Amino acid sequence: MNISKNEEKLKVNLAENIRFLRLTHNPRITQAELAKKLGITQKSISNYEQARCLPPTYVLAAIADLFHLSLDDLLSPLPGKKGRVQTNENLTYNHQKTDRGYQKQINR
């Protein structure tokens, strides 16, 4: 696989993950709120969620830290649109892509 295909996969994975994390956070976080927490613009968040570009490494690290994830988890694909995201409250959210977005189920 060449570098450009890998970069595109990373962009898509990150786009899906940022949007999922932002919308399943309790309470939900808007793009503007996430941008403010990270010290960047809302347009940057929009670009990342639309897989237009990859953020600089310091922004990737800040996003991972904010959601208590490793960089590897942040950049990994959602397996078959199903996956698990561990939160800092030791709850696991199972999520599945549906026609209306993501459906989540909480396991304790």
Side-chain angles (χ1 to χ4, degrees):
M1 186 175 287
N2 64 35
I3 292 173
S4 64
K5 284 186 180 181
N6 283 336
E7 184 176 341
E8 286 306 310
K9 279 187 163 192
L10 284 175
K11 286 182 198 175
V12 170
N13 293 346
L14 182 65
E16 290 176 352
N17 290 343
I18 290 174
R19 182 166 172 78
F20 171 77
L21 290 164
R22 191 173 59 73
L23 295 179
T24 59
H25 191 271
N26 189 11
R28 286 184 173 194
I29 301 174
T30 66
Q31 287 182 345
E33 291 167 335
L34 180 57
K36 186 175 180 179
K37 288 176 185 269
L38 298 172
I40 60 177
T41 65
Q42 181 272 326
K43 182 70 175 168
S44 294
I45 299 296
S46 176
N47 285 335
Y48 305 150
E49 286 189 6
Q50 293 177 37
R52 289 187 179 149
C53 61
L54 286 170
T57 53
Y58 71 91
V59 174
L60 284 173
I63 294 169
D65 187 52
L66 180 68
F67 291 106
H68 307 283
L69 296 171
S70 69
L71 284 173
D72 189 47
D73 288 339
L74 183 62
L75 295 171
S76 295
L78 300 174
K81 300 297 181 203
K82 293 181 180 179
R84 299 164 75 83
V85 177
Q86 185 72 33
T87 68
N88 63 337
E89 296 91 16
N90 295 322
L91 299 176
T92 303
Y93 293 89
N94 290 327
H95 53 89
Q96 180 174 349
K97 182 88 171 160
T98 66
D99 293 344
R100 295 184 204 151
Y102 287 96
Q103 176 182 24
K104 79 177 175 182
Q105 175 184 16
I106 301 173
N107 298 325
R108 297 183 189 268

